[in-house]
């Protein structure tokens, strides 16, 4: 077994399931393993508590630039219930390595660590490289937010996620909130003259999916298309013969770059207040995330595309539907791309796996990227 496969196997065998708010140090055993492994392979490593004993791990390999190239990925995984393969065995079969986190995202993490260890052992270091393994990506992104607060000031970032070896430069953000329509209630045999909140809900859905969506459609972005608004859940009523007092809808609003999800929420609240008045209440958003739109012409991004092309991979930028930590890193003006072995279709699945051929190819790509001088060296221009 190669060093890379061996490292990934060891990391899959250390469970790091996101506790989704329960106060458990879920990823810390893995963070400690990464810190120890990195130190043994010539990297400067440290742990940083984010919350509840949960730690990010930072590993640095100094090179010829002051500002680092950031390799970022997450330590946590989703749950293992219902898996059809042993989540923590890391079994190899048919050229695949199976297990929870094999592609999302311990595969990319193993690739990053191995490429940094190669460089520590031998070779030019045209830039400082900093790896951040962060907690809580699968829940509310506290790990990446804590990392941003460290002010690492990277000149570019590669975020490790399964992208089937493509360079992802764009994805949407989102805002989810609940909208409640209210009425006076009463006996359903005497509905006359009373507001039925189902009627209000029907008019709201008609507006959101019709007129409002048409407005959103007018603002499409390259690679990912326009923002969208979808009512995804609805609940209401208390009995078959009771006029309902309330109906609550959940909306899933996908955002594009330039839209602040909090501002999107405030606009929706004001819009519905103006149209439907006090009978409608829009609760604070329970999920917000930012969109990513990295300029493919940025020198770091086009440089990384060049590395992909040199390995016979498709260098064209790609947009995806799901969110990543890259959009939070990009909020600080850092050109950020997402890259890694394995397919997003395999992430979170009952038989999650990473193809070994892609794992090894990703290692070659990242190792080559670390040897590519992307940024002006300290004390001298390129
Ligand atoms: Zn992931």
């Amino acid at each position: 077994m190669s060093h890379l496969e061996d490292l990934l196997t060891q990391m899959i065998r250390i469970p790091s399931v996101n506790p989704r708010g329960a106060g458990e140090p879920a990823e810390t055993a893995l963070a400690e393993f990464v810190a120890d492994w990195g130190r043994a392979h010539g990297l400067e490593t440290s742990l940083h508590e984010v919350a509840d004993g949960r730690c990010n791990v930072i590993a640095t390999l100094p090179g010829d630039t002051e500002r680092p190239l950031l390799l970022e990925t997450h330590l946590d995984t989703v749950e293992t219930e219902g898996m059809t393969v042993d989540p923590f065995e890391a079994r190899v079969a048919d050229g695949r390595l199976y297990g929870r986190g094999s592609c999302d995202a311990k595969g990319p993490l193993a690739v990053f660590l191995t490429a940094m260890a190669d460089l520590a052992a031998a070779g030019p270091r045209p830039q400082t490289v900093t790896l951040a393994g962060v907690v809580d990506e699968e829940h509310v992104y506290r790990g990446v937010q804590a990392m941003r607060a460290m002010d690492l000031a990277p000149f570019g970032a590669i975020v490790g996620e399964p992208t089937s070896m493509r360079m992802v430069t764009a994805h949407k953000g989102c805002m989810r909130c609940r909208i409640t329509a209210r009425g006076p209630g009463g006996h359903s045999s005497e509905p006359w003259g009373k507001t039925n909140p189902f009627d209000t809900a029907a008019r709201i859905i008609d507006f959101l999916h019709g007129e409002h969506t048409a407005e959103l459609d007018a603002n499409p972005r390259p690679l990912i298309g326009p923002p969208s608004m979808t009512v995804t859940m609805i609940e209401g009523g208390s009995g078959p013969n009771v006029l309902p007092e309330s109906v609550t809808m959940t909306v899933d609003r996908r955002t594009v770059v330039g839209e602040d999800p909090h501002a999107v929420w405030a606009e929706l609240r004001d819009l519905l207040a103006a149209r439907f008045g006090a009978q409608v209440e829009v609760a604070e958003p329970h999920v917000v995330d930012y969109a990513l739109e990295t300029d493919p012409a940025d020198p770091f991004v086009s440089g990384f595309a060049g590395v992909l092309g040199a390995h016979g991979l498709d260098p064209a930028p790609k947009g995806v539907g799901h969110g990543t930590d890259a959009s939070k890193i990009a909020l600080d003006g850092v050109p950020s791309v997402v890259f890694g072995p394995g397919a997003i279709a395999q992430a979170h699945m009952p038989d999650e796996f990473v193809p070994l051929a892609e794992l090894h190819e990703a290692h070659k790509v990242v190792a080559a990227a670390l040897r590519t001088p992307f940024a002006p060296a300290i004390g001298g221009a390129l």
Side-chain angles (χ1 to χ4, degrees):
M1 184 180 280
S2 74
H3 291 312
L4 176 58
E5 291 171 36
D6 182 56
L7 175 61
L8 178 54
T9 297
Q10 290 185 67
M11 294 200 293
I12 288 172
R13 289 177 179 168
I14 302 170
S16 56
V17 176
N18 192 306
R20 300 200 186 274
E24 294 162 21
E27 302 95 340
T28 297
L30 180 60
E32 284 168 351
F33 172 87
V34 169
D36 291 346
W37 191 97
R39 212 171 294 126
H41 290 81
L43 312 180
E44 298 166 7
T45 65
S46 53
L47 295 185
H48 303 265
E49 184 173 335
V50 175
D52 303 326
R54 299 167 68 180
C55 292
N56 287 347
V57 58
I58 303 287
T60 299
L61 185 63
D64 294 340
T65 58
E66 198 155 348
R67 297 178 68 189
L69 169 61
L70 176 65
L71 306 178
E72 196 262 13
T73 191
H74 58 94
L75 302 171
D76 57 320
T77 70
V78 294
E79 294 76 359
T80 59
E81 281 76 21
M83 285 192 77
T84 54
V85 296
D86 185 325
F88 307 124
E89 184 194 347
R91 187 169 60 90
V92 172
D94 306 324
R96 297 165 167 181
L97 202 159
Y98 288 88
R100 180 55 87 221
S102 55
C103 74
D104 187 16
K106 294 178 183 182
L109 178 60
V111 163
F112 288 166
L113 282 166
T114 306
M116 287 177 77
D118 294 347
L119 207 57
R125 295 184 201 164
Q127 57 237 326
T128 295
V129 182
T130 296
L131 168 91
V134 307
V135 302
D136 204 33
E137 192 271 346
E138 301 288 4
H139 190 49
V140 288
Y141 313 111
R142 280 180 293 185
V144 68
Q145 299 296 16
M147 185 212 73
R148 287 178 64 205
M150 291 178 72
D151 234 347
L152 298 170
F155 67 80
I158 304 172
V159 172
E161 290 283 356
T163 67
S164 299
M165 309 297 282
R166 291 291 300 271
M167 179 179 77
V168 168
T169 58
H171 62 66
K172 287 183 183 171
C174 83
M175 186 285 293
R176 294 193 192 117
C177 68
R178 295 184 184 91
I179 301 168
T180 299
R182 294 189 197 284
H187 198 288
S188 60
S189 64
E190 298 181 341
W192 306 288
K194 293 173 188 156
T195 298
N196 185 328
F198 277 106
D199 286 330
T200 313
R203 288 193 293 130
I204 291 172
I205 293 169
D206 190 49
F207 167 66
L208 293 178
H209 290 178
E211 193 181 324
H212 188 57
T213 290
E215 275 174 32
L216 298 178
D217 283 347
N219 184 26
R221 302 300 309 167
L223 303 178
I224 54 170
S228 61
M229 167 63 89
T230 308
V231 176
T232 52
M233 295 169 75
I234 185 162
E235 56 192 326
S238 57
N241 54 359
V242 182
L243 203 57
E245 290 184 2
S246 72
V247 172
T248 297
M249 293 161 281
T250 300
V251 295
D252 178 67
R253 168 71 156 78
R254 297 295 167 132
T255 63
V256 296
V257 152
E259 291 187 313
D260 179 273
H262 296 283
V264 163
W265 171 80
E267 274 169 36
L268 178 69
R269 177 199 58 193
D270 295 348
L271 201 57
L272 295 185
R275 290 195 166 234
F276 300 97
Q279 61 185 338
V280 173
E281 191 181 295
V282 181
E284 295 267 337
H286 54 276
V287 176
V288 295
D289 193 14
Y290 292 83
L292 175 72
E293 189 177 304
T294 298
D295 181 3
D298 174 90
F300 161 67
V301 178
S302 59
F304 185 65
V307 173
L308 290 176
H311 286 78
L313 296 166
D314 188 346
K318 187 172 190 275
V320 295
H322 58 91
T324 73
D325 275 353
S327 62
K328 274 67 76 183
I329 295 168
L331 288 176
D332 298 322
V334 180
S336 304
V337 300
V338 190
F339 171 78
I344 193 65
Q346 276 304 318
H348 305 190
M349 287 293 113
D351 65 339
E352 181 175 349
F353 66 84
V354 66
L356 290 175
E358 284 189 18
L359 187 73
H360 290 289
E361 186 69 18
H363 172 214
K364 284 184 202 155
V365 167
V366 173
L370 299 192
R371 290 176 156 84
T372 301
F374 292 115
I378 297 168
L382 284 173

